């Protein structure tokens, strides 16, 4: 399963010897290079990777950890599937570079339970790294030890949230923690921990090889580089694509040969729904941010049915800890069912949209803060159509 | 459970704790092993794990019931879990679900009388470009059609 | 390995950083903050909630509780921090830099209102038929925020079955708002671990291992979860209807004993500030309600001291003189039924360390249906014994099958402070206004030593007052008999008292440092037990353990709310009452001596007292079948 268009950053010609170069240099240079590149977290939230690493690097602690968040669970996302199988070497290199940069000796890959079939492959590559002296003691003859092990999830979307992931690693229910403190300060087992998305980590050896300057020249001012997109739904060629940040949604649709598009869900279930009239907007942290999930709907689709699917997902996948998310998502789902039965007044619908806004600001973690997004955007753009159909 | 089964299970869990560690961070891997081997994590297994990790049994139960892949009761020989999330939904998940229900004579959430098949829905499997997708036990099946479903069921018999 | 050594859970999901207030100043000094446009300074690391409290800005809370680690799950306390996209929960947010906080902006008000509406929508709130009506935090929140309709609907029919299986605690999950205070109480505060959140998402439910009835799991009945539940989801199993029936039945002779802790706290149920004992007003009220006799549990507390103190001296003699290798020391107190069930579950191999003496409640029951029946000529079958206790575990205790030594059920009903207050209110009595009256004969007034059983360290202090004097012939060498090392709210206290110039019959104790320990709350009991298991307590002689934080005054049947300040105030009321009594030592209680002269004629720890006043324990273990 390759990248279906011509890869830009993830072109194999770009890999070179970034890994060796990084380890042979000073740790701080890696942090500075990554910071200079403007790389932001690819999981969706977009926190500057260099800043995260700098915080972890400067923390004084007897232990530090690097965690690769491979709990790709956002509906419509599958790009990590590709990276974990085809770019495994680069992923491990990225983790080792991060460990070297921040002063960690241990790394974990938190692999979603659904990807268990990849386990033997990844462990094989880890063993190969050990044999090649790229993992273990005294890597590249340096006074630097690093080890990586893979840990599996067991089917919980919320564990993609970094602090829930850490809770899960520690053997608890995957319930997000209160922040502050952030994981870079108090993470796995209470030690400073960097949690990065697979795509972020794979980018690292490439940036070290090609230089921050090269990377900065791709993308937009606040969104450097490219984004891997997992595109599914009503398109002729679903699959994984790499596009520079700033790409217009409409151009992307053309690339995958989408026809008769009614709306595009960007960022998965927790993302926003873009209607036809806004397809000229672009994919970037400035405009429409995304973790890479793109789901396309054509004109035959019933938007209420789609929304119902999303809300069922969140009602089940909320960790159940905080009130706005646990009960709020259920109320939004009930609202969808009421609309379906023609029992929801416009007044109550407005009340629910308002509730969605409360959930966005008062939920404990990113899941609850983003779960009302599809409700709000679909009801804003397609509310009239939906109500007209269900009265 | 027979006494011999109990002691075999205890021994197995003790070995798991020896290899995976006796800290709480070993809880998930231990439970995953038990789930994989037995298809479920019994009340006894939960208490034995709790005892060896020095945590409360109810905390193990809290973890087991939090994660969708852990189950507390015996499971059918073939546990069929169909992805119900959006992309698969768009690709006729409902049709696939109806096929299963018709062929097996049970509804989703139920188990066949001979305990051979159980039907469940599951959240996104990350196979959105090849939907509809499902897991039978831990194996992934993609691009399902009603016809393919019938073939797969026949191959399981 | 024992099945008892649980590691302390690190509930990081429900915890924020704890910065020690003493050292905070050194780390970051003072931080300038702004609350609602006004400037203040707080030490680095102060939580927004604490800062707001300090400067009198009210912030509503629900999942927050002073006694518990922070959860941040209800989100009712959200505030706006300038520059942040989302609202922050005030209880979890440590102030580490100069921030501007708004506690009443439109965004905040609207969010809180929505959150309360959501909680109400999921709560089976039939307020007028709820035990917590008018003392419910959810109800108060709704009132405070002007809720006048169910914005998001509300539960019409309960969907969980009420768990009535336990003698002590009733669980009605239809009223649960998932604040998890009970979970934090059960797992972290008490280290019992029988409640936890199961499932996830909207299906999340607070329940027991495998969702079993409470009576079938390792609940110790301490009721601390009840004290911290903001709603009526957890309540005590209330026997007051049966008690009313007994009172109404002319054939029944209904007697009641009152423990000191309920008397020190019941005023709170009538609007008084914590810290005023209403012992004698309560006697009047109980007679008005229709109880035939009113007795003081302190009488059997004094009796307990005689039995348990004698038992300790006998054990010491066996160990020191007879060199009996089987004698178990240190001896542990056994008057707290929560603690007893804790050790039965988690340290079943150590039951021999417990004193065999029954608790004062059970001793009284046995004495009432034997000695008292004899003295008064009332048929014991017609005697109904009620015990007013600060405790939910006492309900379980009086239903133990072994507690029938009088030939009848020794104590028929354990009634909590809250339930008694309810009965008094139902009778139309305003307790604080009543005249004072004394206790009935033949048990009369008891000593201050029995009284202080109510606070952690009290049993030890009472025992020392008697044992020291018995052995040396002199009073304990503390000013006004106040043995200060026994007092205070430290989790585990350790001290010793030297026995010198002892009486000839106690010569084997000459020069011995009598070492004792005191712990309250089962989490602290666990610390002590783990040290015992590790063999670190071989030189300790006597250990007092109370199952509840603060001792009985913090019991699971006491008025709600509870906090360390409230518990301290109740303890003070008890110590003050003791200080004002003419009689301060158990062995000087003439009614106790009368009992030994007339009835238990062979003295403490004799055959008859063993039959009536001592008991045995059950190796329960912690395996849940």
């Amino acid at each position: 399963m390759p990248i279906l268009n011509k890869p830009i950053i993830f072109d194999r010609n770009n890999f070179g010897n970034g890994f060796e170069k990084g380890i042979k240099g000073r740790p701080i240079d890696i942090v500075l290079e990554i910071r200079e590149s403007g790389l932001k977290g690819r999981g969706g939230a977009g926190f500057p990777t260099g800043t995260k690493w700098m915080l972890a690097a400067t923390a004084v602690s007897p232990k530090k950890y690097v965690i690769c968040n491979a709990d790709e669970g956002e509906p419509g996302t599958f790009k990590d599937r590709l990276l974990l199988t085809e770019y495994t070497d680069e992923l491990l290199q990225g983790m080792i570079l991060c460990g070297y940069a921040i002063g960690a000796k241990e790394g974990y890959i938190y692999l979603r339970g659904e990807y268990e079939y990849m386990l033997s492959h990844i462990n094989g590559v880890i063993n190969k790294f050990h044999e090649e002296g790229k993992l273990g003691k005294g890597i590249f003859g340096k006074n630097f030890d690093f080890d990586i092990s893979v840990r599996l999830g067991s089917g919980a979307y919320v564990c993609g949230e970094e602090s829930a992931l850490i809770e899960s690693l520690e053997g608890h229910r995957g319930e997000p923690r209160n922040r502050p403190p952030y994981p870079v300060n108090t993470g796995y087992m209470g030690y400073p921990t960097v949690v990065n998305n697979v795509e972020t980590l794979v980018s690292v050896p490439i940036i070290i090889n090609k230089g921050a300057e090269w990377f900065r020249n791709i993308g937009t001012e606040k969104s450097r580089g490219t984004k891997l997109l997992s595109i599914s739904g009503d398109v002729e060629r679903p699959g994984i694509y790499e596009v520079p940040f700033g790409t217009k949604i409409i151009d992307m649709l053309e690339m995958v040969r989408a026809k008769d598009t009614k709306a595009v869900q960007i960022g998965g279930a927790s993302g926003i729904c873009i209607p036809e009239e806004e397809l000229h907007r672009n994919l970037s942290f400035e405009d429409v941010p995304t973790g890479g999930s793109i789901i396309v709907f054509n004109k035959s689709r019933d938007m209420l049915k789609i929304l119902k699917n999303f809300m069922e997902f969140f009602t089940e996948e909320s960790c159940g800890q905080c009130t706005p998310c646990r009960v709020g998502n259920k109320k939004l789902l009930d609202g969808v069912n009421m609309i379906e039965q023609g029992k929801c007044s416009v007044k109550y619908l407005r009340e629910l949209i308002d509730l969605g806004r409360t959930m966005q600001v008062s939920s404990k973690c990113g899941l609850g803060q983003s779960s009302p997004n599809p409700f709000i955007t679909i009801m804003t753009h397609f509310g009239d159509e939906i109500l007209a159909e269900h009265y | 459970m027979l006494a011999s089964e109990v002691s075999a299970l205890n021994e197995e869990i003790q070995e798991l704790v020896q290899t995976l560690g006796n800290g709480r961070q070993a809880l998930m891997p231990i439970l995953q092993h038990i789930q994989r081997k037995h298809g479920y994590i019994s009340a006894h297994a939960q208490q034995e794990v709790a005892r060896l990790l020095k945590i409360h049994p109810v905390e193990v139960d809290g973890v087991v019931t939090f994660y969708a892949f852990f189950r507390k009761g015996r499971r059918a020989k073939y546990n069929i879990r169909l992805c119900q999330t959006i992309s698969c939904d768009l690709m006729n998940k409902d049709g696939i679900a109806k096929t299963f229900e018709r062929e097996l004579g049970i509804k989703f959430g139920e188990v066949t009388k001979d305990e051979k098949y159980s039907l469940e829905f599951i959240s996104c499997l990350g196979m959105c470009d090849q939907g509809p997708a499902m897991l039978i036990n831990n194996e992934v099946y993609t691009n399902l059609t009603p016809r393919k479903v019938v073939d797969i069921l026949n191959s399981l018999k | 390995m024992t099945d008892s050594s649980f590691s302390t859970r690190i509930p990081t999901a429900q915890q924020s950083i704890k910065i020690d207030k003493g050292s905070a100043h050194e780390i970051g000094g003072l931080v300038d903050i702004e609350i609602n446009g006004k400037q203040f300074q707080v030490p680095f690391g102060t939580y927004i909630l604490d800062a707001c409290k300090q400067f009198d800005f009210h912030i509503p809370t629900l999942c927050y509780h002073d006694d518990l680690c922070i959860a941040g799950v209800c989100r009712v306390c959200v505030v706006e921090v300038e520059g942040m996209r989302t609202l922050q929960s005030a209880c979890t947010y440590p102030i580490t830099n100069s921030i501007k906080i708004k506690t009443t902006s439109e965004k905040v008000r609207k969010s809180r209102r929505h959150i309360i509406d959501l909680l109400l929508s999921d709560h089976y709130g039939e307020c007028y038929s709820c035990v917590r009506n008018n003392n419910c935090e959810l109800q108060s929140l709704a009132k405070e925020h002007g809720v006048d309709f169910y914005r998001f609907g509300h539960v019409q029919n309960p969907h969980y079955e009420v768990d009535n299986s336990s003698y002590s605690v009733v669980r009605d999950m239809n009223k649960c708002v998932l604040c998890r205070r009970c979970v934090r109480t059960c797992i972290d505060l008490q280290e019992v671990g029988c409640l936890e959140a199961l499932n996830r998402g909207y299906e999340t439910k607070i329940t027991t291992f495998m969702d079993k009835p409470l009576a079938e799991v390792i609940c110790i009945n301490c009721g601390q979860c009840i004290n911290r539940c903001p709603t009526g989801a957890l309540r005590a199993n209330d026997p007051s209807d049966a008690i009313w029936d007994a009172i109404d039945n002319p054939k029944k002779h209904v007697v009641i004993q009152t423990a000191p802790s309920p008397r020190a706290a019941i005023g709170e149920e009538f609007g008084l500030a914590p810290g005023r004992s209403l012992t004698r007003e309560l006697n009047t009220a109980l007679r008005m309600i229709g109880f035939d006799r009113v007795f003081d549990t302190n009488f059997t507390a004094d009796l307990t001291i005689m039995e348990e103190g004698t038992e300790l001296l006998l054990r010491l003699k066996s160990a020191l003189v007879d060199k009996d290798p089987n004698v178990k020391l240190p001896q542990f107190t056994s008057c707290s039924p929560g603690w007893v069930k804790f050790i039965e579950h988690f340290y079943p191999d150590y039951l021999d360390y417990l004193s065999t003496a029954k608790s004062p409640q059970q001793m009284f029951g046995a004495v009432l249906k034997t000695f008292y029946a004899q003295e008064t000529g009332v048929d014991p079958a017609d005697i109904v014994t009620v015990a007013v206790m600060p405790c939910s575990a006492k309900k379980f205790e009086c239903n133990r099958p072994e507690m029938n030594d009088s030939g009848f059920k020794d104590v028929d009903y354990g009634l909590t402070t809250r339930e008694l207050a309810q009965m008094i209110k139902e009778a139309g009595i305003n307790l604080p206004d009543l005249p004072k009256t004394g206790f009935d004969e033949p048990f009369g007034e008891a000593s201050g030593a029995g009284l202080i059983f109510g606070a952690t360290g009290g049993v030890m202090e009472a025992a020392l007052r008697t044992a020291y004097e018995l052995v040396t012939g002199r009073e304990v060498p503390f000013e006004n008999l106040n043995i200060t090392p026994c007092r205070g709210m430290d989790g585990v206290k350790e001290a010793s008292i030297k026995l010198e110039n002892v009486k000839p019959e106690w010569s084997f104790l000459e020069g011995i440092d009598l070492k004792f320990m005191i712990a309250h709350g089962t989490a602290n009991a666990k610390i002590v037990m783990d040290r015992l298991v590790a063999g670190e307590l071989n030189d300790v002689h006597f250990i007092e353990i109370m199952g509840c934080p603060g001792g009985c005054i913090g019991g699971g049947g006491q008025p709600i709310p509870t906090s360390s300040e409230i518990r301290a105030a109740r303890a003070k009321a008890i110590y003050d009452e003791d200080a004002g009594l003419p009689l301060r030592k158990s062995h000087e209680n003439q009614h106790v001596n009368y009992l030994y002269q007339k009835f238990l004629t062979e003295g403490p720890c004799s055959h008859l007292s063993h039959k009536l006043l001592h008991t045995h324990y059950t190796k329960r273990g912690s395996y849940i079948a």
Side-chain angles (χ1 to χ4, degrees), chain C residues 197-212:
Chain C
L198 261 55
N199 306 330
R200 71 162 186 235
Y202 188 67
E203 301 296 319
T204 308
K205 178 185 176 187
I206 308 300
T207 185
T208 56
F209 181 67
M210 293 306 221
D211 210 4
K212 285 176 182 290

Side-chain angles (χ1 to χ4, degrees), chain C residues 293 295 299 371-372 375-376 440-444 591-592 594:
Chain C
R293 292 289 183 277
F295 300 125
F299 165 76
F371 170 72
Y372 173 78
E375 290 268 300
T376 55
D440 285 315
E441 294 299 329
F443 305 113
H591 296 89
V592 169
Y594 180 74

Side-chain angles (χ1 to χ4, degrees), chain B residues 19-110:
Chain B
T19 44
L20 297 168
N22 62 0
R24 177 140 190 183
Q25 63 273 28
L27 179 60
M28 291 280 285
I30 291 170
L31 295 178
Q32 284 159 354
H33 269 90
I34 300 171
Q35 173 69 42
R36 207 175 292 136
K37 179 156 177 208
H38 299 272
Y40 74 112
I41 304 164
S42 66
H44 177 82
Q46 289 190 39
Q47 292 194 76
E48 186 61 12
V49 171
R51 189 177 73 80
L52 294 173
L53 298 191
K54 295 180 184 172
I55 55 179
H56 302 288
V58 75
E59 293 182 276
V60 177
D61 202 3
V63 169
V64 167
T65 54
F66 187 88
Y67 296 94
F69 285 12
F70 294 139
R71 47 188 53 252
K72 297 201 278 191
R74 252 176 222 288
R75 147 200 103 168
K77 185 173 177 199
Y78 297 110
N79 185 29
I80 298 164
R81 291 180 288 178
L82 179 63
C83 172
Q84 62 176 343
T85 309
I86 188 71
S87 299
C88 290
D89 195 37
L90 294 174
M91 296 300 149
N92 192 29
K93 168 214 83 182
D94 287 348
I96 302 299
K98 274 189 196 121
T99 309
F100 271 120
E101 292 185 338
R102 196 183 55 228
E103 292 301 311
L104 297 176
I106 54 168
K107 298 275 174 210
F108 270 76
E110 294 178 351

Side-chain angles (χ1 to χ4, degrees), chain C residues 112-132:
Chain C
R112 284 185 192 155
R113 178 68 196 272
H114 270 148
I115 289 165
I116 294 164
D117 283 328
L118 286 177
L119 288 167
L120 290 172
S121 79
D122 215 24
H123 169 81
Y124 181 60
E126 300 296 329
C127 293
Y128 35 81
S129 63
C130 179
V131 66
R132 293 290 295 274

Side-chain angles (χ1 to χ4, degrees), chain A residues 130-259:
Chain A
H130 272 284
E131 283 159 21
E132 294 169 356
K134 294 173 183 166
L135 274 175
K137 296 216 178 293
I139 296 167
F140 285 144
K142 283 246 176 180
N143 181 22
F144 168 53
D145 311 334
F146 197 76
D147 214 338
I148 295 176
S149 38
V150 186
R151 295 280 295 271
L152 283 169
S154 275
Y157 166 76
V158 67
C159 289
E161 200 278 346
E162 59 177 2
S163 67
L165 186 155
I166 291 172
E167 281 291 303
S168 177
L169 270 183
E170 289 182 5
H172 291 270
R173 295 161 60 81
E175 293 174 346
R177 295 177 177 178
N178 293 309
R179 275 152 305 166
Y182 296 92
V184 281
N185 179 302
T186 309
Y188 181 59
M189 305 307 281
Y191 296 109
T193 302
V194 164
V195 184
N196 276 142
N197 181 270
V198 178
E199 188 179 342
T200 314
L201 288 165
V202 173
S203 308
V204 168
I206 306 174
I207 293 171
I208 301 295
N209 180 45
K210 299 287 282 185
E213 197 54 37
W214 170 82
F215 189 83
R216 286 180 70 81
N217 283 328
I218 307 165
T220 67
E221 198 191 331
K222 286 184 179 158
S223 316
R224 305 291 182 181
T226 64
K227 187 76 199 79
L228 284 181
L229 303 178
S230 317
I231 306 179
S232 64
D234 297 321
V235 299
E236 232 172 74
R237 297 184 62 211
I240 297 164
Y241 295 81
E242 185 185 4
V243 298
F245 274 115
T247 299
K248 281 198 165 67
I249 297 168
I250 195 150
D251 295 338
M252 174 196 75
L253 290 176
E254 199 160 309
M255 180 174 71
V256 296
R257 296 191 205 139
K259 282 192 198 108

Side-chain angles (χ1 to χ4, degrees), chain A residues 72-92:
Chain A
E72 176 178 64
E74 188 63 52
T77 320
F78 44 88
K79 47 121 186 151
D80 290 349
R81 217 172 67 205
L82 168 90
L83 296 177
L84 288 161
T85 45
E86 314 272 329
Y87 294 77
T88 324
D89 282 44
E90 290 70 29
L91 170 64
L92 298 188

Side-chain angles (χ1 to χ4, degrees), chain A residues 26-28 30-31 53 56-57 64 96-104 144:
Chain A
R26 295 184 308 162
I28 188 68
I30 298 175
V31 180
W53 288 20
K64 295 179 188 178
I96 300 166
L97 284 168
C98 176
Y100 182 62
I102 67 163
F144 168 53

